[in-house]
């Protein structure tokens, strides 16, 4: 292990290098402080609401969730990256040694970061429990986080082992992202599916005790699961030994699987990584090439990636706030309750559109924009790929928001129609908003934020897409004012939107592949 320390340092310094731009440095520090405060406040809230056993359980659960997110964001980029291949492959170094160093360096930062965030939690555990139990709980938390990390890397290493079976690199990247998303959300989906009726009953009667009831429901449900019972009590010697053995086996197995095809995948991936930044050569390219290019444009700068993630989570967060306000009747306006579903639908629509990245897809390319207009690729397919990527991001936000809406005991046939209207209008907005940026992109930027926040195209793109949303909303309000039934008014709006989408597709998406 001592001989691997230099390699671990190399990977750590190359992956977690401090940003050069002062603005990005400030944003990074503020983001870290914000996350730390939010994490501490959330733990404090659970501490004062829940019982000591529930607090201990949710402390570990929150730590696991943060670890999983950080591992999915940081570790994957170093463990399965082959940027080091042409440097290290020429040296007389065993591949297993290289892979082990990459795994250790990839998981080091997330686990250390979560451990630091857990310091206030440790103080709360000291207040509530004895010193021995507090230390064992924190140690158990770190070991569980390591197990989650190694489980994820083990599963992804199997997927990486068969990556040559995928037709396109973009298909493999999509499959990897879907696997990570499925693993991360499966416990939540399983809990909701099993306890949907109980959750709905708790949320329908939303008051000061709702959060406490919800935490209690989640704790009791978790304690009944065989996997949790296997490690309970958590601070027993048997649990620690079992966890340690599992971590060791997963660590060794992951190294073996990745190292077995290190050279084969190194040659394959390195060639893809060098060409994916512009385009993969071909007469006209395939859809995989176009989507892969758009995926890389978002991945190339952390700011773009952060903006895309924000576009997916901001609308669901606002949905929770919106529904909480209505459930607790904070506004004291009963007349608003009659229009709650419509207010919710157009709030989701507006947030999903205005917070999306569809207005600046060409500006984000920066210096790589020249390749898209000089190489023999279809400009119309480029445009379609950009629309598709931005639509996927906003559609995820819309669907999650409506799922949350149904969990609050809402939803009927009108809600389903409003969901269809929202998705169709999001598609229409994403078709219209990049039209100006397509002709007048801002390419001369040094800071990634200039391509989005400081770009006048953002405001101009609103002029292209926002009037459509306002017209549809005014038409919907007019139908309701004239005493047309809510269901019939929604059906009429849906028909109007479908007709407009059909015309818009024919005039933009489906027209000849000539204009750029």
């Amino acid at each position: 292990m001592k001989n691997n320390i230099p390699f671990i340092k190399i990977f750590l310094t190359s992956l977690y290098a401090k940003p050069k731009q002062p603005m990005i440095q400030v944003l990074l520090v503020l983001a870290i402080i914000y996350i730390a405060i939010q994490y501490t406040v959330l733990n404090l809230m659970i501490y004062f609401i829940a019982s000591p056993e529930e607090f201990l359980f949710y402390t570990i659960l929150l730590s696991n969730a943060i670890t999983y997110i950080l591992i999915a964001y940081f570790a994957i980029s170093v463990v399965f990256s082959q940027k080091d291949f042409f440097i290290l492959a020429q040296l007389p170094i065993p591949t297993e040694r290289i892979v082990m160093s990459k795994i250790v360096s990839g998981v080091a930062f997330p686990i250390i970061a979560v451990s630091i965030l857990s310091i206030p939690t440790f103080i709360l555990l000291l207040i509530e429990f004895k010193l021995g139990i507090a230390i064992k709980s924190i140690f158990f938390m770190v070991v569980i986080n390591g197990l989650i990390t190694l489980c994820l890397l083990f599963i992804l290493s199997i997927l990486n082992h068969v990556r040559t079976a995928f037709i396109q690199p973009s298909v493999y990247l999509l499959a990897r992202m879907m696997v990570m998303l499925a693993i991360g959300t499966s416990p939540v989906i399983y809990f909701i599916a099993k306890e949907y009726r109980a959750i709905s009953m708790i949320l329908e009667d939303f008051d000061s005790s709702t959060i406490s009831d919800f935490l209690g429901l989640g704790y009791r449900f978790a304690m009944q699961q065989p996997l949790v019972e296997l490690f309970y009590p958590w601070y027993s010697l048997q649990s620690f030994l079992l966890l340690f053995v599992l971590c060791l086996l997963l660590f060794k197995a992951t190294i073996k699987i990745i190292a077995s095809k290190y050279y084969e995948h190194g040659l394959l991936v390195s060639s893809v990584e060098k060409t994916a930044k512009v385009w993969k050569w071909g007469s006209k390219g395939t859809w995989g090439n176009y989507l892969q290019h758009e995926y890389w444009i978002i991945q190339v700068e952390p700011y773009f990636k952060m903006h895309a993630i924000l576009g997916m989570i901001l609308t669901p967060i606002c949905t929770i706030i919106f529904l909480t306000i209505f459930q607790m009747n904070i506004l004291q306006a009963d007349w608003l309750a009659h229009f709650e579903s419509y207010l919710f639908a157009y709030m989701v629509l507006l947030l999903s559109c205005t917070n999306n990245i569809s207005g600046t897809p060409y500006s984000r390319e920066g210096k790589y924009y020249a390749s898209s207009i000089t190489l023999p690729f279809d400009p119309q397919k480029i445009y379609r790929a950009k629309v598709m990527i931005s639509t996927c991001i906003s559609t995820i936000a819309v669907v999650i928001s409506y799922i949350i809406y149904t969990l609050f005991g809402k939803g009927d046939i009108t809600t389903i129609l409003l969901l269809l209207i929202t998705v169709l209008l999001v598609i229409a907005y994403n078709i219209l908003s990049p039209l100006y940026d397509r002709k007048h992109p801002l390419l001369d930027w040094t800071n990634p934020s200039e391509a989005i926040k400081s770009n006048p195209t953002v405001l101009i793109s609103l002029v292209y897409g926002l009037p459509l949303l306002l017209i549809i909303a005014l038409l919907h309000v007019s139908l309701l004012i004239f005493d047309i039934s809510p269901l019939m008014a929604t059906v009429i709006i849906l028909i109007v939107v479908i007709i407009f989408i059909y015309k818009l597709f024919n005039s933009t998406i489906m027209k000849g592949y000539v204009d750029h």
Side-chain angles (χ1 to χ4, degrees), residues 370-390:
S371 63
S372 65
I373 60 176
T374 55
L375 294 178
F377 289 98
D378 193 333
Q380 195 66 12
K381 285 187 177 180
I382 296 173
Y383 171 67
R384 290 183 189 177
K386 294 182 184 298
V387 171
M388 187 178 296
I389 292 295
S390 58

Side-chain angles (χ1 to χ4, degrees), residues 129-302:
F129 301 98
K130 295 180 180 179
L131 177 62
I133 296 178
I135 294 175
K136 288 179 181 179
S137 300
I138 292 295
F139 185 70
F140 178 83
M141 184 189 306
V142 174
V143 176
I144 280 288
N145 289 339
L147 179 63
I148 290 173
T149 299
L150 292 171
C151 282
L152 177 61
L153 293 180
F154 174 72
I155 295 171
L156 294 181
S157 67
I158 296 175
L159 185 65
N160 181 70
H161 190 76
V162 296
R163 68 181 303 157
T164 53
F166 292 91
I167 302 174
Q168 294 286 340
S170 57
V171 178
Y172 163 73
L173 294 175
L174 178 62
R176 190 173 72 179
M177 183 176 66
M178 295 303 296
V179 168
M180 289 190 293
L181 185 64
I183 295 174
T185 57
S186 56
V188 179
I189 295 174
Y190 179 70
F191 169 60
I192 293 174
K194 290 291 185 179
E195 301 290 339
Y196 180 81
R197 186 179 296 275
I199 294 172
S200 297
M201 291 176 63
I202 291 174
L203 294 178
E204 282 178 6
D205 302 323
F206 202 96
D207 53 29
S208 57
S209 64
T210 297
I211 298 177
S212 177
D213 296 339
F214 189 80
L215 292 176
L217 176 65
Y219 175 75
R220 292 190 298 273
F221 177 80
M223 290 299 104
Q224 297 171 1
Q225 305 309 308
L227 188 60
V228 176
E229 293 178 349
L230 180 65
F231 299 108
Y232 192 85
W234 297 331
Y235 27 79
S236 66
L237 180 61
Q238 180 183 357
S239 298
F240 283 126
L241 289 176
L242 180 58
L243 288 172
F244 181 78
V245 171
L246 286 175
C247 289
L248 185 61
L249 291 174
L250 289 171
F251 183 64
K252 294 290 185 181
T254 304
I255 293 174
K256 290 285 186 183
I257 294 172
I258 298 177
S260 64
K261 289 196 174 184
Y262 178 76
Y263 289 104
E264 179 184 345
H265 291 163
L267 292 171
L268 173 66
V269 177
S270 295
S271 61
V272 172
E273 286 184 348
K274 285 189 174 184
T275 57
K277 295 181 180 181
V278 186
W279 295 96
K280 188 173 179 181
W281 288 99
S283 57
K284 280 288 183 181
T286 63
W287 263 112
N289 301 143
Y290 291 99
L291 293 175
Q292 181 182 337
H293 175 72
E294 297 306 317
Y295 175 79
W296 180 85
I297 289 297
I298 295 177
Q299 291 285 328
V300 68
E301 293 286 352

